[in-house]
Amino acid sequence: RFMVGFARLVTHYFSHAAWLADDELLGNAHRLAGIPGVLIHGRLDLSGPPDVAWALAQAWPGAELSFVAGGHTGNEEMDRLLLAATDRFAST
């Protein structure tokens, strides 16, 4: 039941481009300056191509981007990077 509901929700967001105008996220990413961000992209994450993560990292002042070998569900490397980021954010 959960998986069907989740799939319907994700499909609904995808079909409406998350209600964002073309280039809205990248065009306004400069407004995130001063807000820390860590972007971690899995090589096998087919729903989000790596060029999108790269473009966002370039447009977001101060964002950090890491590419890992895993996919959308993560792996040990992704877990390590996520924990390091949250530990760093928690200490500030």
Side-chain angles (χ1 to χ4, degrees):
R1 186 184 275 191
F2 169 80
M3 293 303 289
V4 170
F6 181 76
R8 290 181 70 194
L9 180 65
V10 168
T11 303
H12 189 63
Y13 268 81
F14 280 168
S15 67
H16 293 282
W19 293 274
L20 296 172
D22 288 346
D23 201 38
E24 185 173 352
L25 180 60
L26 292 177
N28 289 302
H30 66 278
R31 298 173 63 186
L32 298 171
I35 299 173
V38 174
L39 308 170
I40 304 170
H41 189 278
R43 180 178 65 87
L44 302 174
D45 189 357
L46 303 177
S47 66
D51 61 322
V52 174
W54 176 259
L56 180 56
Q58 297 305 300
W60 183 347
E64 300 172 25
L65 173 61
S66 296
F67 290 102
V68 298
H72 190 72
T73 58
N75 63 8
E76 287 183 23
E77 183 183 15
M78 186 179 284
D79 292 347
R80 181 180 51 77
L81 291 169
L82 286 169
L83 287 172
T86 55
D87 287 347
R88 192 172 72 226
F89 293 153
S91 68
T92 59

